Amino acid sequence: MAQQPEHSDWWRDAAIYQVYPRSFADGSGDGTGDLAGVRSRLHYLAELGVQAVWFNPWYPSPMADGGYDVADYRDVDPAFGTLAEAEKLIAEGLELGIRTIVDIVPNHVSDAHPWFAAALAAGPGSPERDLFHFRPGRGESGELPPNDWRSEFGGCPWTRTVNADGSPGQWYLHLFAAQQPDLNWHHPQVRAEHESILRFWFDRGAAGVRIDSAGLLAKDPALPDFTPGREPHPYVDRDELHEIYRSWRRIADSYAEPRVLIGEIWVPDTERFARYLRPDELHTAFNFDFLARPWGAAELRASVDATLAAHAPVGAPATWVLCNHDVTRTATRYGRADTGFDFAAKAFGTPTDLPLGLRRARAAALLSLALPGSVYLYQGEELGLPEVEDLPLERLQDPMHLRSGGTDPGRDGCRVPLPWSGAEPPYGFAPPGVEPWLPQPADWAALTVEAQSGDPDSMLELYRAALRIRREAVGGGFGWLPADPGVLAFRRAGGFRCLVNLSAEPVALPADGAVLLASGPLTGGRLPVDTAVWLNGS
């Protein structure tokens, strides 16, 4: 196996690229992205300038929730390839200096997982059911759910089973889709199984894991009704989680190059958020506060300040991300009247000024890449892809759309397959004439990798230049600089400065310092509205 690249604390300032395997590149020609497709594009990622790739789940799955309903954590879904291909992908990435981060989904499994099948077959009171949360219903005949919790996807998080004789049975908990039964993390077998899964992928060269829904694993064993304001929460951010992640950290640290633990944690209390990043727990966690903030100087500065302040006491690096596989794409979101992000606010028919959104997305790219810590780049953001909001309703697959009764557009719009080359779909994602699993817009020819490569004004070349300069000239220190109202200005070590104009008027550029990179044209020594610039010098 290839050696890991040098720099054991690489994760502190890495640029990490997120691959949604179904939509990255199709190597088999069936319209679905796969590991063969990723392997064929590794040189693209190396040229882009990222240090690691995080893969959304590639495990065997019925795909009830885009692969987050896992049936087998130690294999690869045939739609994506084989375990041997995953091992080759990890090794080939390392040869190019790119580490691999795999997705771990510990809160739940697929209803096709052998454990759940055994639990259904074994019946009430069995040891097999103890691995999950099975409960009798309330009401005269058990016809009501065991508690009043709400699913993360909307609606009731309980589904009732049917006994062998056809009579109504117990209910089981699923904080997400009904096909994703929650595991009982108070059971030692559940903990031992996931520790074994970590070792399985670490032994195959994975440099780390991204932990899905990391703040939801532990539940109050009594499964009480939810009372707003009462602490602790019955299933969010419970104290029992920390010992789970301490045990994972011991495993991660046992390797010659320690593996990295990255948490997906939505915790508004910054002090409680930082507890997950203590030196014996997770290495980093996603910064959802920055992602969700509207495009405004005061809002973004407040998020940066709060983020750095939360991480400082535990010595953990901050993370910065503009978009991911669950979130409206940046170019679309920043072109709306409300530029923040809230799942509850998603709706069909929201007006968007795409040229405005793209200009802001370019500036936001330089902002996020200049901040101290690590940065995550969701596939297609480097191409300036917009959210696809006119997908045929019959093609939508996201359970968020289905469980909303059709009112929520869901997340399929940010998961449309990438355009690589050519003038019409499938744009090199799949062989000519093969229809991708989600349809691509007919007007994406100018957004392909082929069309943008070599064009100095393209989003792709902006990202390539920014990632190169980031590696060579950005690092160390951080401090805000005096600036006009509505302007974010800060310095890093070595004289590097970043200025972002979020005001309503162009502002004067500093007289000193050379321009390293700008998100848009600079005219007359002024920084235009919704534009960012990197400067070098005193």
Side-chain angles (χ1 to χ4, degrees):
M1 181 177 291
Q3 295 296 311
Q4 293 272 5
E6 294 299 323
H7 185 28
S8 61
D9 60 349
W10 61 273
W11 45 274
R12 300 190 71 88
D13 57 6
I16 301 170
Y17 189 94
Q18 179 189 353
V19 165
Y20 191 75
R22 287 179 94 180
S23 298
F24 187 72
D26 173 16
S28 65
D30 64 357
T32 296
D34 48 39
L35 302 190
V38 178
R39 291 174 62 203
S40 73
R41 302 290 185 175
L42 279 174
H43 283 279
Y44 166 78
L45 297 174
E47 183 180 354
L48 183 61
V50 299
Q51 288 78 56
V53 175
W54 155 40
F55 288 90
N56 288 101
W58 55 31
Y59 312 110
S61 167
M63 293 291 172
D65 181 25
Y68 282 90
D69 47 320
V70 179
D72 183 352
Y73 291 86
R74 294 179 180 84
D75 205 351
V76 171
D77 194 286
F80 298 142
T82 65
L83 179 58
E85 277 189 292
E87 293 171 342
K88 288 179 181 178
L89 173 57
I90 293 170
E92 290 166 359
L94 287 174
E95 291 172 0
L96 295 173
I98 299 173
R99 292 171 167 88
T100 293
I101 297 166
V102 299
D103 220 316
I104 296 294
V105 189
N107 179 71
H108 47 262
V109 297
S110 166
D111 59 358
H113 191 284
W115 280 10
F116 192 69
L120 290 180
S126 64
E128 289 84 354
R129 291 203 172 185
D130 289 343
L131 300 174
F132 300 91
H133 298 281
F134 282 88
R135 294 291 189 277
R138 298 192 289 193
E140 185 175 337
S141 304
E143 72 278 7
L144 300 177
N147 65 29
D148 65 355
W149 295 359
R150 244 187 107 67
S151 165
E152 297 293 305
F153 286 165
C156 177
W158 292 93
T159 291
R160 196 171 193 183
T161 64
V162 177
N163 293 324
D165 62 3
S167 61
Q170 291 183 308
W171 298 71
Y172 69 87
L173 176 68
H174 50 86
L175 288 181
F176 295 87
Q179 299 90 339
Q180 296 168 289
D182 280 34
L183 290 165
N184 174 15
W185 272 88
H186 289 282
H187 199 294
Q189 189 176 343
V190 172
R191 292 189 55 164
E193 170 69 359
H194 282 78
E195 291 175 4
S196 174
I197 291 165
L198 292 180
R199 292 188 180 94
F200 180 89
W201 289 106
F202 291 163
D203 289 348
R204 280 156 180 78
V209 294
R210 176 265 191 187
I211 307 162
D212 180 69
S213 301
L216 302 181
L217 277 58
K219 279 83 173 174
D220 184 331
L223 302 181
D225 282 345
F226 173 69
T227 302
R230 178 181 293 175
E231 298 295 341
H233 194 286
Y235 62 86
V236 176
D237 182 34
R238 293 183 61 82
D239 289 343
E240 304 97 294
L241 288 168
H242 297 286
E243 180 49 41
I244 294 171
Y245 295 132
R246 289 189 187 100
S247 71
W248 287 23
R249 183 62 177 261
R250 289 191 289 270
I251 293 170
D253 286 347
S254 69
Y255 287 80
E257 178 176 281
R259 300 331 195 208
V260 180
L261 306 177
I262 302 160
E264 183 200 26
I265 302 173
W266 295 74
V267 178
D269 184 321
T270 55
E271 290 186 8
R272 290 195 65 85
F273 174 82
R275 294 180 67 202
Y276 291 91
L277 303 177
R278 290 175 290 193
D280 63 343
E281 294 191 40
L282 307 182
H283 294 79
T284 66
F286 286 173
N287 183 2
F288 292 110
D289 180 79
F290 184 75
L291 176 154
R293 293 279 181 143
W295 182 249
E299 287 276 2
L300 291 171
R301 178 165 178 158
S303 180
V304 171
D305 284 340
T307 297
L308 297 179
H311 287 74
V314 289
T319 66
W320 311 100
V321 62
L322 299 172
C323 181
N324 62 32
H325 65 292
D326 290 331
V327 174
T328 304
R329 282 199 177 272
T330 312
T332 296
R333 179 165 61 93
Y334 280 160
R336 292 177 168 170
D338 180 0
T339 55
F341 179 78
D342 186 341
F343 281 110
K346 292 184 69 176
F348 285 102
T350 306
T352 299
D353 181 342
L354 195 54
L356 173 64
L358 186 60
R359 187 164 67 250
R360 290 172 170 173
R362 291 174 64 91
L366 295 197
L367 169 61
S368 61
L369 289 169
L371 291 167
S374 56
V375 64
Y376 286 80
L377 169 60
Y378 177 49
Q379 65 179 40
E381 287 290 286
E382 79 277 18
L383 302 177
L385 296 185
E387 187 87 354
V388 181
E389 300 186 282
D390 58 354
L391 291 168
L393 293 180
E394 66 273 13
R395 297 291 296 273
L396 297 181
Q397 301 188 29
D398 185 16
M400 291 190 79
H401 169 70
L402 301 175
R403 288 177 65 89
S404 73
T407 60
D408 186 331
R411 300 164 294 177
D412 291 314
C414 66
R415 300 174 178 183
V416 172
L418 297 191
W420 291 94
S421 60
E424 59 186 20
Y427 300 114
F429 167 77
V434 173
E435 185 176 8
W437 71 280
L438 282 176
Q440 299 161 303
D443 61 355
W444 270 14
L447 298 178
T448 67
V449 172
E450 179 183 59
Q452 296 195 45
S453 293
D455 177 359
D457 297 326
S458 71
M459 181 72 97
L460 176 58
E461 293 300 345
L462 177 72
Y463 264 100
R464 284 173 172 168
L467 287 165
R468 175 182 55 78
I469 294 170
R470 185 178 187 271
R471 290 195 309 274
E472 298 172 354
V474 184
F478 175 84
W480 293 110
L481 297 171
D484 293 335
V487 175
L488 296 178
F490 58 89
R491 58 164 177 78
R492 301 291 305 278
F496 175 91
R497 286 171 289 170
C498 176
L499 282 71
V500 189
N501 184 7
L502 297 98
S503 72
E505 300 290 339
V507 297
L509 285 167
D512 61 325
V515 173
L516 293 172
L517 188 63
S519 66
L522 306 177
T523 56
R526 300 179 74 78
L527 182 64
V529 175
D530 294 325
T531 306
V533 65
W534 288 358
L535 302 172
N536 203 10
S538 58

